[in-house]
Amino acid sequence: MNKRNASLPRRGFLLGLTAVGASVGLAGCGFELRKAPVFAFKTLSVEGNSALINQIRRDLRAAGTVTLVPKEDAKTADAVLVVLGEDRDRFVISTNSAGALRELQLRLRVRFSLKTPGGKELLSASEVSQTRDLSFNETNALAKEGEAELLFRDMQSDIAQQLMRRLAAVKEL
């Protein structure tokens, strides 16, 4: 048996020992996978209709802990989520020496509030925003427009998740 083959069992033992050590270390630090959020309300009405609001509704249904109530029955809900505004902005960050666009900044801002049907504010008017930078090339203008839409969808998804965490932070009605 040559020296190379003799070290293989030892390597396997060391790898196994490392894996056990890592799992014990993670267990001791309090690490755990993210769970579905727990909300203070059992029924929720989400007012409005846009791609972002539909994403929020999908996320709430996926959480499985809240029943969505249609807008017409909002008075029967424990809470009402109102999206006050949704702004998609594009800002020019840089241009070249000829004045042609080189880089854009995309921003998605969402303002919302959470209240009871009786009018008590659970979350006062708040804002969540996301920004992304996008390099621009005139020869690929159509592709860059598609990329901007993908970035807006990604920001929309991130904002929906942030909004879910803010709703979960409400502890009492």
Side-chain angles (χ1 to χ4, degrees):
M1 184 152 121
N2 64 21
K3 192 175 185 180
R4 184 174 179 216
N5 291 341
S7 67
L8 287 178
R10 196 176 319 139
R11 284 184 191 160
F13 174 74
L14 288 175
L15 284 174
L17 190 60
T18 304
V20 169
S23 64
V24 168
L26 284 177
C29 75
F31 173 81
E32 65 180 284
L33 294 174
R34 184 177 293 162
K35 298 177 185 173
V38 177
F39 300 104
F41 40 85
K42 299 296 177 207
T43 58
L44 178 70
S45 175
V46 182
E47 293 183 359
N49 190 17
S50 71
L52 174 72
I53 292 170
N54 291 334
Q55 175 77 40
I56 293 167
R57 285 186 180 120
R58 277 192 299 274
D59 289 350
L60 286 165
R61 282 189 198 104
T65 56
V66 173
T67 303
L68 291 175
V69 175
K71 184 179 177 181
E72 301 81 42
D73 300 330
K75 293 191 186 297
T76 63
D78 294 337
V80 178
L81 176 66
V82 180
V83 176
L84 303 169
E86 184 178 334
D87 300 320
R88 288 181 173 215
D89 299 316
R90 296 171 187 240
F91 300 104
V92 175
I93 294 177
S94 64
T95 58
N96 64 14
S97 60
L101 180 64
R102 298 291 292 161
E103 195 171 8
L104 284 172
Q105 184 177 63
L106 308 175
R107 183 174 68 182
L108 179 61
R109 289 181 349 175
V110 176
R111 290 177 310 284
F112 66 94
S113 68
L114 182 70
K115 55 188 172 183
T116 63
K120 177 185 174 191
E121 277 195 350
L122 302 173
L123 280 175
S124 61
S126 303
E127 181 178 298
V128 178
S129 66
Q130 288 274 315
T131 59
R132 300 283 192 278
D133 291 340
L134 175 68
S135 62
F136 193 81
N137 186 348
E138 259 185 50
T139 59
N140 299 328
L142 191 58
K144 288 298 179 175
E145 191 61 35
E147 185 179 352
E149 282 306 311
L150 284 172
L151 288 171
F152 273 123
R153 265 189 261 146
D154 181 50
M155 290 188 286
Q156 176 181 302
S157 180
D158 286 351
I159 285 177
Q161 288 299 313
Q162 285 183 34
L163 211 139
M164 293 282 287
R165 288 190 289 276
R166 294 227 183 146
L167 294 177
V170 174
K171 295 301 179 196
E172 61 183 44
L173 297 177

